[in-house]
Amino acid sequence: MAWPLLAPLVVAAAPKIYEEVIGRPQKRERQARERLREEQKRAQQSEQRLAKLLNDLGYDEDEPAITEDVIKNARKTVGYDPKKKNIVFAGNVSVGKSSLINGLCNKGGDDDGAARVGSNQVTRNLARYEIPNHPEVVLYDIPGAGTQDVRAFRYYHDQMLYAFDTVVVVHDTTLTEADIRLLQMCIHSGKNCLAVRTKSDNHIRNYAYDKDCELEEAREIFLRETRHDIQSCHKEITAPWPEKEIRIWDYIINSRSVRTFMKGKPSPKEADTAYIDEFDFIFDLSPGLVINPND
Ligand SMILES: Nc1nc2c(ncn2[C@@H]2O[C@H](COP(=O)(O)OP(=O)(O)O)[C@@H](O)[C@H]2O)c(=O)[nH]1
Ligand SMILES: [Mg+2]
């Protein structure tokens, strides 16, 4: 075929050829460059978030790293039992850590072997408690963080929280800044943790007094407001890890009802002491605890 006859065909196909040979590779390159820029931006944001988190936690670069050896030695010091689930109760002074441990051990504050309870009975050293008939767990009571000035990193290291299997952050009202940091410290370190709100009986009675209503109504309002608060605290706890699905539970309980549960008794009828999250909390500590050995 003669060239002049081919020319219109070539002209007609030119845009397609241009698109195939030059346009598409250019587009792919542009997309790859955009993807790379996005990835770099994400990496930079997550680096900034980590730097902010470490600063918020009070990270101290002079603190030796938590190596296998460090954990082994700490476990020797605290009396860790590798055959059991070792659960430590952390949190501020007077939030109810010792009372909760006593509830789980089915003990009153004045019973033999009970954890010392009350505002003048601050736990100065680590103490270890076993639950009668439940050899699968061991509970540890540690000194409270004392003041809000004790940074999470310091508390985590000083109390050797890395030695335990589960850290329970006990608190009695909304989570404080210190509680949130401690939970974040646990998440950052890959340590299993949960939170528990104590003294619900007191709160419900206070709501009834403040709102001048019956205990039943006070319980409803308290639960609605508290669940809402738990949700917003959860957002704050997990904010440094937007790319991860992290779930930290915060259970609403009172220590006396925990004891009633551990005795194998049904929920009290009264609105201030009827069970709230006692079952879920005790089950999540260790499923075997909800089975009454006397049944
Ligand atoms: N009403 C009520 N009081 C509680 C509860 N838990 C603890 N308390 C009281 O709070 C105070 C401090 O409790 P304690 O266990 O010593 O706190 P800790 O310093 O965190 O160990 C004590 O007077 C307890 O009786 C609870 O669930 N309900
Ligand atoms: Mg105590």
Side-chain angles (χ1 to χ4, degrees):
M1 208 184 286
W3 270 112
L5 287 178
L6 270 180
L9 285 180
V10 171
V11 170
K16 204 157 172 51
I17 293 168
Y18 177 84
E19 171 66 18
E20 285 294 332
V21 178
I22 298 169
R24 280 215 186 151
Q26 266 183 355
K27 193 172 165 194
R28 271 200 293 273
E29 238 173 70
R30 207 169 47 243
Q31 283 171 338
R33 270 202 306 275
E34 270 165 24
R35 265 201 304 276
L36 188 67
R37 260 203 302 276
E38 272 300 311
E39 269 165 35
Q40 282 170 339
K41 197 169 137 196
R42 265 202 299 273
Q44 201 184 9
Q45 280 172 342
S46 114
E47 234 170 70
Q48 282 166 351
R49 269 197 305 270
L50 179 64
K52 181 179 180 315
L53 175 69
L54 293 179
N55 184 48
D56 287 346
L57 298 178
Y59 175 75
D60 176 0
E61 58 187 341
D62 294 333
E63 188 72 38
I66 304 171
T67 59
E68 288 292 316
D69 269 354
V70 169
I71 295 176
K72 213 164 104 190
N73 285 335
R75 286 186 167 170
K76 243 187 239 157
T77 308
V78 302
Y80 180 92
D81 188 336
K83 293 186 288 302
K84 300 180 181 201
K85 185 167 180 187
N86 295 255
I87 306 168
V88 65
F89 291 76
N92 222 321
V93 177
S94 281
V95 290
K97 295 183 294 297
S98 304
S99 306
L100 177 54
I101 289 177
N102 286 341
L104 287 164
C105 294
N106 187 8
K107 284 203 160 86
D110 291 333
D111 288 351
D112 271 355
R116 313 287 282 148
V117 164
S119 38
N120 298 321
Q121 300 291 349
V122 176
T123 311
R124 288 193 209 288
N125 296 307
L126 176 118
R128 198 172 176 280
Y129 299 92
E130 307 218 350
I131 305 183
N133 301 318
H134 285 287
E136 68 272 30
V137 296
V138 51
L139 313 178
Y140 299 82
D141 195 4
I142 56 171
T147 77
Q148 294 292 314
D149 298 336
V150 179
R151 311 293 295 277
F153 186 86
R154 196 65 284 132
Y155 190 62
Y156 190 84
H157 277 258
D158 288 354
Q159 300 301 327
M160 296 181 287
L161 297 185
Y162 47 81
F164 302 93
D165 299 309
T166 295
V167 175
V168 179
V169 175
V170 186
H171 63 118
D172 61 354
T173 51
T174 188
L175 281 165
T176 63
E177 165 101 20
D179 297 326
I180 290 176
R181 298 293 176 225
L182 186 54
L183 289 164
Q184 289 177 327
M185 182 70 207
C186 292
I187 298 170
H188 174 66
S189 314
K191 178 64 56 200
N192 184 39
C193 63
L194 51 94
V196 61
R197 287 184 186 225
T198 56
K199 308 189 188 177
S200 58
D201 55 334
N202 237 356
H203 292 308
I204 293 170
R205 285 194 291 268
N206 289 345
Y207 266 63
Y209 178 81
D210 292 340
K211 298 186 187 303
D212 199 12
C213 64
E214 296 297 319
L215 278 179
E216 284 72 18
E217 192 186 342
R219 178 184 172 97
E220 255 177 54
I221 305 170
F222 164 72
L223 283 180
R224 193 170 54 241
E225 290 186 4
T226 307
R227 298 268 187 234
H228 187 264
D229 181 57
I230 287 174
Q231 263 184 8
S232 44
C233 287
H234 192 265
K235 272 195 197 135
E236 208 179 323
I237 298 166
T238 56
W241 303 273
E243 70 288 353
K244 287 191 192 154
E245 286 250 344
I246 297 170
R247 190 79 186 84
I248 302 293
W249 297 100
D250 191 359
Y251 306 85
I252 308 170
I253 56 115
N254 79 76
S255 49
R256 185 158 299 166
S257 296
V258 165
R259 185 174 182 201
T260 309
F261 186 95
M262 293 308 289
K263 282 183 183 157
K265 292 196 176 163
S267 173
K269 299 257 181 300
E270 298 74 22
D272 51 347
T273 50
Y275 294 156
I276 303 175
D277 292 336
E278 279 79 0
F279 176 92
D280 293 337
F281 167 62
I282 297 168
F283 181 88
D284 289 349
L285 278 187
S286 180
L289 291 179
V290 300
I291 299 164
N292 189 347
N294 302 319
D295 282 348

